[in-house]
Amino acid sequence: MSSPSHGSNPRYVYEWLQLPMPEHVIDFSVNVNPLGPPSVLKEQWGDWFDAVADYPDPQARELTRRIACMDSVTDDQVLLGNGGAELIQLIGGLLREKRVLLIQPTFSEYEQACRAHGCEVDHYILEEGTWSLNVEHMIAKLPNVDAVFLCHPNNPTGITYEESTLIPLVEACEQHDCLLIIDEAFYDFQDDAWTAASMLYTHPHLIILRSLTKMYAIAGLRLGYVLAAPEIISTLKNQQPHWSVNAIAQLAGKACLQADRHVTRTRDLVQRERAVLLDHIEAEGYLVSNSKVNFFVLRDPALDDQLPLLRYLLEKGIVPRHTLNYTGLNGRWLRFSVRLPADNALLLEALIAWKKTT
Ligand SMILES: Cc1ncc(COP(=O)(O)O)c(C=O)c1O
C-alpha cells in the first residue's frame, strides 16, 4: 500500500506502515477547526431534514448572494462548489494543456488537477526552512507560463506573505496575461488577514479560492467557492455537474457565515495554542515553520527522513501528516494541526520523550 495522499483517516496511515492502530488516537493530520462546527449547525440540523427530498437550488442563489456581499463582489463573480477540491478540478479544466507554475511546497491537488487536464507543470521550489518568496524571481518566470498557483496561507507550512510582496505579483500576472490562482482556504484563521479579493475588479486574471470546510469544520459536508471575473466563473460553471452543492450544505453555509463568535473564539484559541506549542517544541531542538494558522511543519534536525519519528508518534497514538507528496519537503518534515490544549500537551510530551530516546 502506498502512503496516503491526504491527512485525516488515520487508519490508512497505520495500514501503510503496517502498524497496529491503538484504540485511541489523536489525529493531528487533519487541519480543520479544533473546536468543531459552530453550535448552530447542531441546533438547526433537524429543521433542515425537509430539504433532503427536493433538488437543491442549482444556482445556490441565496448563499452566492451572501458571499458576494461579504466579499464586495457581484453575484456573477462567485461560484460555489462541493468543497474547494471540486473547484480545483474545475480550474484544472480551465487550464487544459496550458503551462502552469506551482510555488512549492504546496497542496498536492493543484498538480494532480493540472496533470489530469494535460497541463505542463513546472515547480518553483522555495528555500527550505524560511520558504520566503522572492517576487522578482517569480516575476521573471511569468513570460513562460500561463498560470501560477499560490496557496496563501500555505498548506503545509502555514507561511504567509506581506501585502507588499503579493500586490506586485498580482500586478505582474495581469501584465503578463497570466492567471494567478490564490488559494485562501485558511485565510480566516488569522486576524485582519490580507486578501486579494479587493483586487478582483481591476485584475481579471486573478482567481481566489476559499473553503468553508476548514474554519467551520464541515469537511464531511463539503463547501467552497471561487471568486473571479464573470467570464471565468461562467466557464467554470459550464464544466460543473448540476446540483453540485447539496441543499444541506447550502443551508449550513448560510448559518456558518453568521457564526462570527465561533470564528473569533477559534482564532484566539489557535493563536494562543500555536504560540505556546511552537515555543516549547523549538526549545526541545526541533525546527518548525513560522506558521500563522492552525497547522505547521516540524522536523527533527538529527534525522533526514522523519519516518522513525513518524512511526514513534503513531505507536503512541499521535497521528502526524507525512510530507512525502509535498514537492520540496519529500518526507523531511511532518505536519501537525493545532488542536485543543489537552491534545497539544500530549503531542509535546511525546516529542520530548522522543528526544530522550535518541
Ligand atoms: C490549501 C487547500 N485548499 C483547498 C483544500 C480543499 O478543501 P475542501 O475541498 O475540503 O474545501 C484543501 C484541503 O485540505 C487545502 O488544504
Side-chain angles (χ1 to χ4, degrees), residues 32 41 48 56-57 59-60 62-64 66-67 70 78-87 183-185 188 209-226 240 243-257:
V32 300
L41 260 60
W48 294 339
D57 173 355
Q59 308 288 343
E62 279 186 43
L63 183 54
T64 300
R66 202 158 291 185
I67 288 168
M70 199 174 73
V78 181
L79 178 66
L80 286 166
N82 186 28
E86 184 199 26
L87 298 161
D183 182 345
E184 297 185 342
D188 44 6
L209 178 71
R210 300 261 179 82
S211 169
L212 275 76
T213 73
K214 312 296 187 184
M215 173 53 81
Y216 302 103
I218 53 168
L221 198 51
R222 322 293 305 127
L223 191 58
Y225 62 95
V226 161
Q240 187 177 39
W243 305 298
S244 188
V245 181
N246 72 71
I248 310 292
Q250 293 187 31
L251 289 163
K254 282 188 280 177
C256 285
L257 292 178

CSV table of all heavy atoms in Angstrom, one decimal, residues 32 41 48 56-57 59-60 62-64 66-67 70 78-87 183-185 188 209-226 240 243-257:
chain,number,residue,atom,x,y,z
A,32,VAL,N,-8.6,20.9,10.3
A,32,VAL,CA,-9.9,21.6,10.4
A,32,VAL,C,-9.9,22.2,11.9
A,32,VAL,O,-9.2,21.8,12.7
A,32,VAL,CB,-11.1,20.8,10.1
A,32,VAL,CG1,-11.1,20.2,8.7
A,32,VAL,CG2,-11.3,19.7,11.2
A,41,LEU,N,-25.2,24.6,13.8
A,41,LEU,CA,-25.4,23.5,12.9
A,41,LEU,C,-26.1,22.4,13.6
A,41,LEU,O,-27.1,21.8,13.0
A,41,LEU,CB,-24.1,23.0,12.3
A,41,LEU,CG,-23.7,23.5,10.9
A,41,LEU,CD1,-23.6,25.0,10.9
A,41,LEU,CD2,-22.5,22.9,10.4
A,48,TRP,N,-33.5,21.1,9.0
A,48,TRP,CA,-33.1,21.0,7.6
A,48,TRP,C,-33.5,19.7,6.9
A,48,TRP,O,-33.2,19.5,5.7
A,48,TRP,CB,-31.5,21.2,7.5
A,48,TRP,CG,-31.1,22.6,8.0
A,48,TRP,CD1,-31.9,23.7,8.0
A,48,TRP,CD2,-29.8,23.0,8.4
A,48,TRP,NE1,-31.2,24.8,8.5
A,48,TRP,CE2,-29.9,24.4,8.7
A,48,TRP,CE3,-28.6,22.3,8.6
A,48,TRP,CZ2,-28.8,25.1,9.2
A,48,TRP,CZ3,-27.5,23.1,9.0
A,48,TRP,CH2,-27.6,24.4,9.3
A,56,PRO,N,-31.6,20.6,-4.8
A,56,PRO,CA,-31.2,21.9,-4.2
A,56,PRO,C,-31.3,23.0,-5.3
A,56,PRO,O,-31.4,22.6,-6.5
A,56,PRO,CB,-29.7,21.6,-3.9
A,56,PRO,CG,-29.3,20.4,-4.6
A,56,PRO,CD,-30.5,19.6,-5.0
A,57,ASP,N,-31.3,24.2,-4.9
A,57,ASP,CA,-31.2,25.3,-5.9
A,57,ASP,C,-29.9,25.2,-6.7
A,57,ASP,O,-28.8,25.3,-6.2
A,57,ASP,CB,-31.2,26.7,-5.1
A,57,ASP,CG,-31.0,27.9,-6.0
A,57,ASP,OD1,-30.8,27.7,-7.2
A,57,ASP,OD2,-31.0,29.0,-5.5
A,59,GLN,N,-28.5,27.1,-8.6
A,59,GLN,CA,-27.6,28.3,-8.7
A,59,GLN,C,-27.2,28.7,-7.3
A,59,GLN,O,-26.4,29.6,-7.1
A,59,GLN,CB,-28.4,29.5,-9.2
A,59,GLN,CG,-29.1,29.3,-10.5
A,59,GLN,CD,-28.2,29.2,-11.7
A,59,GLN,OE1,-27.0,29.6,-11.6
A,59,GLN,NE2,-28.6,28.6,-12.8
A,60,ALA,N,-27.6,28.0,-6.3
A,60,ALA,CA,-27.3,28.3,-4.8
A,60,ALA,C,-27.4,29.8,-4.6
A,60,ALA,O,-26.5,30.4,-4.1
A,60,ALA,CB,-26.0,27.7,-4.5
A,62,GLU,N,-29.1,32.1,-2.8
A,62,GLU,CA,-29.0,32.9,-1.6
A,62,GLU,C,-27.6,32.9,-1.0
A,62,GLU,O,-27.1,33.9,-0.6
A,62,GLU,CB,-30.0,32.3,-0.5
A,62,GLU,CG,-31.4,32.7,-0.7
A,62,GLU,CD,-32.3,32.2,0.4
A,62,GLU,OE1,-31.8,32.2,1.6
A,62,GLU,OE2,-33.3,31.6,0.1
A,63,LEU,N,-27.0,31.7,-1.0
A,63,LEU,CA,-25.7,31.7,-0.4
A,63,LEU,C,-24.7,32.4,-1.3
A,63,LEU,O,-23.8,33.1,-0.8
A,63,LEU,CB,-25.2,30.2,-0.3
A,63,LEU,CG,-23.9,29.9,0.4
A,63,LEU,CD1,-23.8,30.6,1.7
A,63,LEU,CD2,-23.6,28.4,0.5
A,64,THR,N,-24.9,32.3,-2.6
A,64,THR,CA,-24.0,33.1,-3.5
A,64,THR,C,-24.1,34.6,-3.3
A,64,THR,O,-23.1,35.3,-3.2
A,64,THR,CB,-24.4,32.8,-5.0
A,64,THR,OG1,-24.3,31.4,-5.2
A,64,THR,CG2,-23.6,33.5,-6.0
A,66,ARG,N,-25.0,36.0,-0.5
A,66,ARG,CA,-24.4,36.4,0.8
A,66,ARG,C,-22.9,36.5,0.7
A,66,ARG,O,-22.3,37.4,1.2
A,66,ARG,CB,-24.8,35.3,1.8
A,66,ARG,CG,-24.7,35.8,3.2
A,66,ARG,CD,-25.5,35.0,4.2
A,66,ARG,NE,-27.0,35.2,4.0
A,66,ARG,CZ,-27.9,34.7,4.8
A,66,ARG,NH1,-27.5,33.9,5.8
A,66,ARG,NH2,-29.2,34.9,4.6
A,67,ILE,N,-22.3,35.5,-0.1
A,67,ILE,CA,-20.8,35.6,-0.2
A,67,ILE,C,-20.4,36.8,-1.0
A,67,ILE,O,-19.4,37.5,-0.7
A,67,ILE,CB,-20.3,34.3,-0.9
A,67,ILE,CG1,-20.5,33.1,0.2
A,67,ILE,CG2,-18.9,34.4,-1.4
A,67,ILE,CD1,-20.3,31.7,-0.4
A,70,MET,N,-20.5,39.7,1.3
A,70,MET,CA,-19.4,39.6,2.2
A,70,MET,C,-18.0,40.0,1.6
A,70,MET,O,-17.2,40.7,2.2
A,70,MET,CB,-19.3,38.2,2.7
A,70,MET,CG,-18.6,37.9,4.0
A,70,MET,SD,-18.9,36.1,4.3
A,70,MET,CE,-17.7,35.4,3.1
A,78,VAL,N,-19.0,34.9,-8.3
A,78,VAL,CA,-18.9,33.8,-7.3
A,78,VAL,C,-19.4,32.5,-7.9
A,78,VAL,O,-20.4,32.4,-8.5
A,78,VAL,CB,-19.8,34.2,-6.1
A,78,VAL,CG1,-19.7,33.1,-5.0
A,78,VAL,CG2,-19.5,35.6,-5.5
A,79,LEU,N,-18.6,31.5,-7.6
A,79,LEU,CA,-19.1,30.1,-7.9
A,79,LEU,C,-18.9,29.2,-6.7
A,79,LEU,O,-17.7,29.0,-6.2
A,79,LEU,CB,-18.3,29.5,-9.1
A,79,LEU,CG,-18.7,28.1,-9.5
A,79,LEU,CD1,-20.2,28.1,-10.0
A,79,LEU,CD2,-17.8,27.5,-10.5
A,80,LEU,N,-20.0,28.6,-6.3
A,80,LEU,CA,-19.9,27.7,-5.1
A,80,LEU,C,-19.5,26.3,-5.7
A,80,LEU,O,-19.9,26.0,-6.8
A,80,LEU,CB,-21.2,27.6,-4.4
A,80,LEU,CG,-21.6,28.8,-3.6
A,80,LEU,CD1,-23.1,28.8,-3.2
A,80,LEU,CD2,-20.8,28.8,-2.3
A,81,GLY,N,-18.9,25.5,-4.8
A,81,GLY,CA,-18.6,24.2,-5.2
A,81,GLY,C,-18.7,23.2,-4.1
A,81,GLY,O,-18.8,23.6,-2.9
A,82,ASN,N,-18.6,21.9,-4.5
A,82,ASN,CA,-18.7,20.8,-3.5
A,82,ASN,C,-17.3,20.7,-2.8
A,82,ASN,O,-16.6,19.7,-3.0
A,82,ASN,CB,-19.1,19.5,-4.2
A,82,ASN,CG,-19.3,18.4,-3.3
A,82,ASN,OD1,-19.7,18.6,-2.1
A,82,ASN,ND2,-19.1,17.2,-3.8
A,83,GLY,N,-16.9,21.7,-2.1
A,83,GLY,CA,-15.6,21.8,-1.4
A,83,GLY,C,-14.6,22.4,-2.4
A,83,GLY,O,-14.9,22.5,-3.6
A,84,GLY,N,-13.5,23.0,-1.8
A,84,GLY,CA,-12.5,23.6,-2.7
A,84,GLY,C,-12.0,22.5,-3.6
A,84,GLY,O,-11.6,22.9,-4.8
A,85,ALA,N,-12.0,21.3,-3.2
A,85,ALA,CA,-11.4,20.2,-4.1
A,85,ALA,C,-12.1,20.2,-5.4
A,85,ALA,O,-11.4,20.0,-6.5
A,85,ALA,CB,-11.5,18.9,-3.4
A,86,GLU,N,-13.4,20.3,-5.5
A,86,GLU,CA,-14.1,20.3,-6.8
A,86,GLU,C,-13.7,21.5,-7.6
A,86,GLU,O,-13.5,21.3,-8.8
A,86,GLU,CB,-15.6,20.3,-6.6
A,86,GLU,CG,-16.3,20.2,-7.9
A,86,GLU,CD,-17.8,20.6,-7.9
A,86,GLU,OE1,-18.2,21.5,-7.1
A,86,GLU,OE2,-18.5,20.1,-8.8
A,87,LEU,N,-13.5,22.6,-7.0
A,87,LEU,CA,-13.2,23.8,-7.7
A,87,LEU,C,-11.8,23.8,-8.3
A,87,LEU,O,-11.5,24.3,-9.4
A,87,LEU,CB,-13.4,25.0,-6.8
A,87,LEU,CG,-14.9,25.2,-6.4
A,87,LEU,CD1,-15.1,26.0,-5.1
A,87,LEU,CD2,-15.8,25.7,-7.5
A,183,ASP,N,-5.1,30.4,-3.4
A,183,ASP,CA,-6.0,29.6,-2.6
A,183,ASP,C,-5.9,30.1,-1.2
A,183,ASP,O,-4.9,30.0,-0.5
A,183,ASP,CB,-5.4,28.1,-2.7
A,183,ASP,CG,-6.3,27.2,-1.9
A,183,ASP,OD1,-7.1,27.6,-1.1
A,183,ASP,OD2,-6.1,25.9,-2.1
A,184,GLU,N,-7.0,30.7,-0.8
A,184,GLU,CA,-7.1,31.3,0.6
A,184,GLU,C,-8.0,30.4,1.5
A,184,GLU,O,-8.7,30.9,2.4
A,184,GLU,CB,-7.8,32.7,0.5
A,184,GLU,CG,-6.9,33.6,-0.3
A,184,GLU,CD,-7.4,35.1,-0.3
A,184,GLU,OE1,-8.6,35.3,0.0
A,184,GLU,OE2,-6.6,36.0,-0.7
A,185,ALA,N,-7.8,29.1,1.4
A,185,ALA,CA,-8.6,28.1,2.2
A,185,ALA,C,-8.5,28.4,3.7
A,185,ALA,O,-9.4,28.1,4.4
A,185,ALA,CB,-8.2,26.7,1.8
A,188,ASP,N,-9.0,32.7,6.9
A,188,ASP,CA,-9.8,33.2,8.0
A,188,ASP,C,-9.3,32.7,9.4
A,188,ASP,O,-10.0,33.0,10.4
A,188,ASP,CB,-11.3,32.9,7.8
A,188,ASP,CG,-11.5,31.4,7.3
A,188,ASP,OD1,-10.6,30.7,7.2
A,188,ASP,OD2,-12.7,31.1,7.0
A,209,LEU,N,-9.6,31.2,-4.4
A,209,LEU,CA,-10.3,30.0,-3.9
A,209,LEU,C,-10.5,30.1,-2.4
A,209,LEU,O,-9.5,30.4,-1.7
A,209,LEU,CB,-9.5,28.8,-4.3
A,209,LEU,CG,-10.0,27.4,-3.9
A,209,LEU,CD1,-11.3,27.1,-4.8
A,209,LEU,CD2,-9.0,26.4,-4.1
A,210,ARG,N,-11.7,29.7,-1.9
A,210,ARG,CA,-11.9,29.7,-0.5
A,210,ARG,C,-12.6,28.3,-0.2
A,210,ARG,O,-13.3,27.8,-1.0
A,210,ARG,CB,-12.9,30.8,0.0
A,210,ARG,CG,-12.3,32.2,-0.3
A,210,ARG,CD,-11.7,32.8,0.9
A,210,ARG,NE,-11.2,34.2,0.7
A,210,ARG,CZ,-11.9,35.3,0.7
A,210,ARG,NH1,-13.2,35.2,0.9
A,210,ARG,NH2,-11.4,36.4,0.4
A,211,SER,N,-12.4,27.9,1.1
A,211,SER,CA,-13.1,26.7,1.6
A,211,SER,C,-13.8,27.0,2.9
A,211,SER,O,-13.3,27.8,3.7
A,211,SER,CB,-12.1,25.6,1.8
A,211,SER,OG,-12.6,24.6,2.5
A,212,LEU,N,-15.0,26.5,3.1
A,212,LEU,CA,-15.7,26.6,4.4
A,212,LEU,C,-15.4,25.4,5.2
A,212,LEU,O,-15.9,25.3,6.4
A,212,LEU,CB,-17.2,26.9,4.2
A,212,LEU,CG,-17.6,28.3,3.9
A,212,LEU,CD1,-17.3,28.7,2.5
A,212,LEU,CD2,-19.1,28.5,4.3
A,213,THR,N,-14.8,24.4,4.7
A,213,THR,CA,-14.6,23.1,5.4
A,213,THR,C,-13.6,23.2,6.5
A,213,THR,O,-13.7,22.4,7.4
A,213,THR,CB,-14.3,22.0,4.5
A,213,THR,OG1,-12.9,22.1,4.1
A,213,THR,CG2,-15.1,21.9,3.2
A,214,LYS,N,-12.7,24.2,6.5
A,214,LYS,CA,-11.6,24.3,7.5
A,214,LYS,C,-12.1,25.0,8.7
A,214,LYS,O,-12.1,24.5,9.8
A,214,LYS,CB,-10.4,25.0,6.9
A,214,LYS,CG,-10.0,24.5,5.5
A,214,LYS,CD,-9.6,23.1,5.6
A,214,LYS,CE,-9.0,22.6,4.3
A,214,LYS,NZ,-8.7,21.1,4.3
A,215,MET,N,-12.4,26.3,8.5
A,215,MET,CA,-12.9,27.1,9.7
A,215,MET,C,-14.1,26.6,10.3
A,215,MET,O,-14.3,26.6,11.6
A,215,MET,CB,-13.1,28.6,9.2
A,215,MET,CG,-13.7,29.5,10.3
A,215,MET,SD,-12.8,29.5,11.9
A,215,MET,CE,-11.4,30.6,11.5
A,216,TYR,N,-15.1,26.1,9.5
A,216,TYR,CA,-16.4,25.7,10.1
A,216,TYR,C,-16.4,24.1,10.3
A,216,TYR,O,-17.5,23.6,10.7
A,216,TYR,CB,-17.5,26.2,9.2
A,216,TYR,CG,-17.5,27.7,9.1
A,216,TYR,CD1,-17.0,28.3,7.9
A,216,TYR,CD2,-17.8,28.5,10.1
A,216,TYR,CE1,-16.9,29.7,7.8
A,216,TYR,CE2,-17.7,29.9,10.0
A,216,TYR,CZ,-17.3,30.4,8.9
A,216,TYR,OH,-17.2,31.8,8.8
A,217,ALA,N,-15.3,23.5,10.1
A,217,ALA,CA,-15.2,22.0,10.3
A,217,ALA,C,-16.4,21.3,9.7
A,217,ALA,O,-17.1,20.5,10.4
A,217,ALA,CB,-15.1,21.7,11.9
A,218,ILE,N,-16.6,21.5,8.4
A,218,ILE,CA,-17.7,20.8,7.7
A,218,ILE,C,-17.1,20.0,6.5
A,218,ILE,O,-17.6,20.0,5.4
A,218,ILE,CB,-18.8,21.8,7.2
A,218,ILE,CG1,-18.3,23.0,6.4
A,218,ILE,CG2,-19.6,22.3,8.4
A,218,ILE,CD1,-19.4,23.8,5.7
A,219,ALA,N,-15.9,19.4,6.8
A,219,ALA,CA,-15.2,18.7,5.7
A,219,ALA,C,-16.1,17.5,5.2
A,219,ALA,O,-16.0,17.2,4.0
A,219,ALA,CB,-13.9,18.2,6.3
A,220,GLY,N,-16.9,17.0,6.1
A,220,GLY,CA,-17.8,15.9,5.6
A,220,GLY,C,-19.0,16.4,4.8
A,220,GLY,O,-19.6,15.6,4.0
A,221,LEU,N,-19.3,17.6,4.9
A,221,LEU,CA,-20.5,18.2,4.2
A,221,LEU,C,-20.1,18.7,2.9
A,221,LEU,O,-20.8,18.6,1.9
A,221,LEU,CB,-21.1,19.3,5.1
A,221,LEU,CG,-22.5,19.8,4.9
A,221,LEU,CD1,-23.5,18.6,4.9
A,221,LEU,CD2,-22.8,20.7,6.0
A,222,ARG,N,-18.9,19.3,2.8
A,222,ARG,CA,-18.2,19.9,1.6
A,222,ARG,C,-18.8,21.2,1.1
A,222,ARG,O,-20.0,21.3,0.8
A,222,ARG,CB,-18.4,18.9,0.4
A,222,ARG,CG,-18.2,17.4,0.7
A,222,ARG,CD,-16.8,17.0,1.1
A,222,ARG,NE,-15.8,17.4,0.1
A,222,ARG,CZ,-14.7,18.1,0.5
A,222,ARG,NH1,-14.5,18.5,1.7
A,222,ARG,NH2,-13.9,18.5,-0.5
A,223,LEU,N,-18.0,22.2,1.1
A,223,LEU,CA,-18.4,23.6,0.6
A,223,LEU,C,-17.2,24.5,0.4
A,223,LEU,O,-16.4,24.6,1.3
A,223,LEU,CB,-19.4,24.2,1.6
A,223,LEU,CG,-20.2,25.5,1.1
A,223,LEU,CD1,-21.0,25.2,-0.1
A,223,LEU,CD2,-21.1,26.0,2.2
A,224,GLY,N,-17.2,25.1,-0.7
A,224,GLY,CA,-16.1,26.0,-1.0
A,224,GLY,C,-16.6,27.0,-2.1
A,224,GLY,O,-17.7,26.8,-2.7
A,225,TYR,N,-15.8,28.0,-2.5
A,225,TYR,CA,-16.2,28.9,-3.5
A,225,TYR,C,-15.0,29.5,-4.2
A,225,TYR,O,-13.9,29.6,-3.6
A,225,TYR,CB,-17.2,29.9,-3.1
A,225,TYR,CG,-16.7,30.9,-2.0
A,225,TYR,CD1,-16.2,32.1,-2.3
A,225,TYR,CD2,-16.9,30.5,-0.6
A,225,TYR,CE1,-15.8,33.0,-1.3
A,225,TYR,CE2,-16.5,31.4,0.3
A,225,TYR,CZ,-16.0,32.7,0.0
A,225,TYR,OH,-15.6,33.5,1.0
A,226,VAL,N,-15.3,30.0,-5.4
A,226,VAL,CA,-14.3,30.7,-6.2
A,226,VAL,C,-14.8,32.1,-6.4
A,226,VAL,O,-16.0,32.3,-6.6
A,226,VAL,CB,-14.1,30.0,-7.6
A,226,VAL,CG1,-13.4,31.0,-8.6
A,226,VAL,CG2,-13.2,28.8,-7.5
A,240,GLN,N,-19.2,22.3,-14.5
A,240,GLN,CA,-19.6,21.8,-13.2
A,240,GLN,C,-20.9,20.9,-13.3
A,240,GLN,O,-21.8,21.3,-13.9
A,240,GLN,CB,-19.9,23.0,-12.2
A,240,GLN,CG,-20.1,22.5,-10.8
A,240,GLN,CD,-20.3,23.7,-9.8
A,240,GLN,OE1,-20.9,24.7,-10.2
A,240,GLN,NE2,-19.7,23.6,-8.6
A,243,TRP,N,-26.3,20.6,-9.6
A,243,TRP,CA,-26.7,20.3,-8.2
A,243,TRP,C,-25.4,19.9,-7.4
A,243,TRP,O,-25.5,19.1,-6.5
A,243,TRP,CB,-27.7,19.2,-8.1
A,243,TRP,CG,-29.0,19.5,-8.8
A,243,TRP,CD1,-29.8,20.6,-8.6
A,243,TRP,CD2,-29.5,18.8,-9.9
A,243,TRP,NE1,-30.9,20.6,-9.5
A,243,TRP,CE2,-30.7,19.4,-10.3
A,243,TRP,CE3,-29.1,17.6,-10.6
A,243,TRP,CZ2,-31.5,19.0,-11.4
A,243,TRP,CZ3,-29.9,17.2,-11.6
A,243,TRP,CH2,-31.1,17.8,-12.0
A,244,SER,N,-24.3,20.5,-7.8
A,244,SER,CA,-23.1,20.0,-7.1
A,244,SER,C,-23.0,20.4,-5.6
A,244,SER,O,-22.5,19.6,-4.8
A,244,SER,CB,-21.9,20.8,-7.9
A,244,SER,OG,-20.7,20.3,-7.4
A,245,VAL,N,-23.7,21.5,-5.3
A,245,VAL,CA,-23.7,21.9,-3.9
A,245,VAL,C,-25.0,21.5,-3.3
A,245,VAL,O,-26.1,22.0,-3.6
A,245,VAL,CB,-23.5,23.4,-3.7
A,245,VAL,CG1,-23.4,23.8,-2.2
A,245,VAL,CG2,-22.2,23.8,-4.3
A,246,ASN,N,-25.0,20.5,-2.4
A,246,ASN,CA,-26.3,19.9,-1.9
A,246,ASN,C,-27.0,20.9,-1.0
A,246,ASN,O,-26.5,21.9,-0.5
A,246,ASN,CB,-26.0,18.6,-1.2
A,246,ASN,CG,-25.4,18.7,0.1
A,246,ASN,OD1,-26.0,19.2,1.1
A,246,ASN,ND2,-24.1,18.4,0.2
A,247,ALA,N,-28.3,20.6,-0.8
A,247,ALA,CA,-29.2,21.5,-0.1
A,247,ALA,C,-28.8,21.8,1.3
A,247,ALA,O,-28.8,22.9,1.8
A,247,ALA,CB,-30.6,21.0,-0.2
A,248,ILE,N,-28.3,20.7,2.0
A,248,ILE,CA,-27.9,20.9,3.4
A,248,ILE,C,-26.6,21.8,3.5
A,248,ILE,O,-26.5,22.6,4.3
A,248,ILE,CB,-27.7,19.5,4.1
A,248,ILE,CG1,-28.8,18.6,3.9
A,248,ILE,CG2,-27.4,19.7,5.6
A,248,ILE,CD1,-30.1,18.9,4.6
A,249,ALA,N,-25.7,21.5,2.5
A,249,ALA,CA,-24.5,22.4,2.5
A,249,ALA,C,-24.9,23.8,2.3
A,249,ALA,O,-24.3,24.7,2.9
A,249,ALA,CB,-23.6,21.9,1.4
A,250,GLN,N,-25.9,24.1,1.4
A,250,GLN,CA,-26.3,25.5,1.2
A,250,GLN,C,-26.9,26.1,2.5
A,250,GLN,O,-26.5,27.3,2.8
A,250,GLN,CB,-27.3,25.6,0.1
A,250,GLN,CG,-26.7,25.2,-1.3
A,250,GLN,CD,-27.7,25.4,-2.4
A,250,GLN,OE1,-28.5,26.3,-2.4
A,250,GLN,NE2,-27.6,24.6,-3.5
A,251,LEU,N,-27.7,25.3,3.2
A,251,LEU,CA,-28.3,25.9,4.4
A,251,LEU,C,-27.2,26.0,5.5
A,251,LEU,O,-27.1,27.1,6.2
A,251,LEU,CB,-29.4,24.9,5.0
A,251,LEU,CG,-30.6,24.9,4.1
A,251,LEU,CD1,-31.5,23.6,4.4
A,251,LEU,CD2,-31.5,26.1,4.4
A,252,ALA,N,-26.3,25.1,5.6
A,252,ALA,CA,-25.3,25.1,6.6
A,252,ALA,C,-24.3,26.3,6.3
A,252,ALA,O,-23.9,27.0,7.2
A,252,ALA,CB,-24.5,23.8,6.7
A,253,GLY,N,-24.0,26.5,5.0
A,253,GLY,CA,-23.1,27.6,4.6
A,253,GLY,C,-23.7,28.9,5.1
A,253,GLY,O,-22.9,29.7,5.6
A,254,LYS,N,-25.0,29.1,4.9
A,254,LYS,CA,-25.6,30.4,5.3
A,254,LYS,C,-25.5,30.6,6.8
A,254,LYS,O,-25.1,31.6,7.3
A,254,LYS,CB,-27.0,30.5,4.9
A,254,LYS,CG,-27.2,30.8,3.4
A,254,LYS,CD,-28.6,31.1,3.1
A,254,LYS,CE,-29.4,29.7,2.9
A,254,LYS,NZ,-30.8,29.9,2.6
A,255,ALA,N,-25.7,29.5,7.6
A,255,ALA,CA,-25.6,29.6,9.0
A,255,ALA,C,-24.2,29.8,9.5
A,255,ALA,O,-23.9,30.6,10.4
A,255,ALA,CB,-26.1,28.3,9.6
A,256,CYS,N,-23.2,29.1,8.8
A,256,CYS,CA,-21.8,29.3,9.2
A,256,CYS,C,-21.3,30.7,9.0
A,256,CYS,O,-20.6,31.3,9.9
A,256,CYS,CB,-20.9,28.4,8.3
A,256,CYS,SG,-21.0,26.7,8.8
A,257,LEU,N,-21.8,31.3,7.9
A,257,LEU,CA,-21.3,32.7,7.6
A,257,LEU,C,-21.8,33.7,8.6
A,257,LEU,O,-21.3,34.9,8.6
A,257,LEU,CB,-21.6,33.1,6.2
A,257,LEU,CG,-20.8,32.3,5.2
A,257,LEU,CD1,-21.2,32.7,3.8
A,257,LEU,CD2,-19.3,32.4,5.3
